[in-house]
Amino acid sequence: MARNTYGLDLGSYEIKVYDKKQDAIWTEKSVIAMKEKQEIFAIGDEAYKMYEKTPDSIEVLFPMKAGVISGFHDMQFLLQNLLKANRQLAHGSAYVIAVPTDVTEVQKKAFFDLVIHSTARAKEVNIVERSIADAIGLDIDTRNTNGVFIVNFGGETTELSVLAAGGMILNRLLPIGGRSYDQAIITLIRNSHDFLIGSHTAEALRRRFEIFKADSDAAFMVAGRDLITGVPTQKTISINLVRAAIKEPLLECLRAIRSLLDRTPPEIRKSIRQNGIFLTGGIANTEGLDAYIEKNIGIPTRAAENPEICSVTGLKKIIMSKELSQLAYSMLDERYRWMR
């Protein structure tokens, strides 16, 4: 018997972990700060605070890119140390990992290898598609639903999924996420005001403004650098500028949702119109986003209660249920023998 079981949702910007022994969910930034390209200086939330604020000798790295592992050893080091820090990592534990669906089998296996070949000496590692974990976190009966559409708005990607009769019908992973919106805000402010702000400031603007609510004259004073004088200063940024910046990435998501719906079989599409579209992921916390999508797509849309941890909540339910645990599988199965 495994000494403990962990559920892992490894996002581009944040790691979410369910610890069965503690019956707790915790999150940590998926970031490493490296000194002189050799020494680990900081990890997790501590490293993220240093992002865009470090001297040349310290580099802040994100081991996950576009939803998949880009720095395998960095990610392995980060995960091992986060599980150890004040959390009494138990060797010989079991793991269930949420993985994106619309990636190659080799990329999926990288998630599996990340843990199975680590110093954690895992007893068992299984994976489950993130959209399935999202559906379970939403309390959707995946085996009996006739059709449901889930949109996971993540840090670097947006995953669109159509599920029916216990399985995945269609899935698409878009290279658009929180970072895309923040970069769009940075770019428009730079081009319109000759004023440079950082990612933290752009994220704060996106979160503080009620972007999808009625037009207003809301504005915030933010710190940045005047690109003409080169002097650090403050400027007032209006809500309309932020709205204009995120419009194109949002429209691309809407086009992708319509495209996937058009490819969905008619009977399943009919059920989706009845059951609705569900939003998960951290960006789904944006107030009014569900109403915006519903208005543009014409299908009832609602965000999960705690969208940022919906997937790991699903992993928790999968771990705790003998029936649901069958949704997870090992890449040691015979069908993956060619990859060993």
Side-chain angles (χ1 to χ4, degrees):
M1 179 180 294
R3 297 178 64 182
N4 195 5
T5 304
Y6 295 95
L8 306 178
D9 181 14
L10 308 178
S12 298
Y13 270 67
E14 201 166 55
I15 296 173
K16 296 101 175 173
V17 181
Y18 169 65
D19 183 328
K20 182 181 178 182
K21 191 172 183 180
Q22 302 293 328
D23 191 26
I25 291 173
W26 50 269
T27 64
E28 190 95 17
K29 294 295 184 183
S30 181
V31 188
I32 286 179
M34 188 83 72
K35 187 174 183 180
E36 304 291 352
K37 297 185 178 182
Q38 294 181 342
E39 177 187 349
I40 301 295
F41 189 78
I43 62 171
D45 291 348
E46 185 181 347
Y48 187 69
K49 291 176 184 176
M50 304 169 66
Y51 184 45
E52 298 181 331
K53 300 175 183 177
T54 60
D56 292 339
S57 60
I58 298 177
E59 183 180 10
V60 177
L61 305 171
F62 293 82
M64 298 281 293
K65 295 290 183 185
V68 296
I69 301 168
S70 62
F72 185 87
H73 296 295
D74 287 341
M75 190 65 197
Q76 196 170 59
F77 179 88
L78 172 62
L79 185 61
Q80 288 170 183
N81 281 273
L82 288 180
L83 288 174
K84 286 178 184 177
N86 301 318
R87 295 185 177 103
Q88 316 243 327
L89 173 67
H91 292 298
S93 297
Y95 297 81
V96 180
I97 309 172
V99 300
T101 305
D102 191 22
V103 296
T104 67
E105 295 299 304
V106 173
Q107 288 171 324
K108 286 183 184 179
K109 191 171 185 294
F111 287 90
F112 178 85
D113 290 341
L114 182 75
V115 177
I116 201 71
H117 296 311
S118 73
T119 57
R121 297 197 293 275
K123 178 180 177 63
E124 182 181 1
V125 177
N126 292 305
I127 65 173
V128 62
E129 273 71 20
R130 183 174 287 117
S131 53
I132 297 291
D134 268 335
I136 299 300
L138 286 160
D139 287 326
I140 294 171
D141 185 351
T142 55
R143 295 185 185 277
N144 298 311
T145 182
N146 293 321
V148 65
F149 198 118
I150 297 176
V151 184
N152 185 309
F153 287 95
E156 278 197 339
T157 61
T158 298
E159 188 166 3
L160 315 177
S161 305
V162 174
L163 289 79
M168 183 75 60
I169 304 300
L170 293 169
N171 183 272
R172 184 180 175 190
L173 191 67
L174 302 175
I176 299 171
R179 185 174 185 180
S180 307
Y181 303 118
D182 296 342
Q183 189 56 52
I185 293 169
I186 292 170
T187 300
L188 189 56
I189 290 175
R190 183 182 63 217
N191 293 341
S192 60
H193 290 301
D194 290 316
F195 186 61
L196 183 64
I197 63 171
S199 296
H200 288 289
T201 303
E203 181 181 359
L205 283 170
R206 172 170 55 81
R207 291 180 182 276
R208 290 173 67 185
F209 278 130
E210 296 179 337
I211 297 170
F212 298 102
K213 295 213 166 179
D215 289 340
S216 71
D217 297 324
F220 288 113
M221 184 76 73
V222 299
R225 181 163 56 89
D226 189 306
L227 293 175
I228 296 176
T229 64
V231 177
T233 185
Q234 291 186 326
K235 284 194 178 183
T236 300
I237 305 299
S238 73
I239 184 173
N240 292 323
L241 190 66
V242 176
R243 280 178 174 156
I246 69 170
K247 183 177 180 180
E248 185 51 41
L250 272 174
L251 287 177
E252 191 168 341
C253 288
L254 291 176
R255 287 191 289 266
I257 291 172
R258 291 192 191 98
S259 176
L260 206 64
L261 282 169
D262 288 342
R263 292 167 51 202
T264 302
E267 285 301 314
I268 296 175
R269 188 162 62 241
K270 181 180 178 181
S271 295
I272 290 173
R273 292 191 176 277
Q274 295 173 345
N275 297 329
I277 296 174
F278 295 86
L279 310 183
T280 67
I283 305 299
N285 267 322
T286 307
E287 191 171 354
L289 177 60
D290 50 357
Y292 176 82
I293 292 175
E294 181 172 329
K295 179 181 178 181
N296 283 273
I297 301 297
I299 295 177
T301 303
R302 58 186 180 274
E305 186 175 349
N306 295 295
E308 69 280 4
I309 60 168
C310 187
S311 181
V312 75
T313 300
L315 293 178
K316 172 184 175 179
K317 294 177 180 179
I318 289 170
I319 288 169
M320 300 299 289
S321 167
K322 187 175 181 179
E323 180 182 359
L324 292 176
S325 65
Q326 297 174 17
L327 296 170
Y329 57 92
S330 171
M331 298 199 85
L332 294 178
D333 290 350
E334 282 301 308
R335 57 179 165 156
Y336 295 107
R337 188 173 182 180
W338 64 277
M339 300 179 72
R340 295 176 196 169

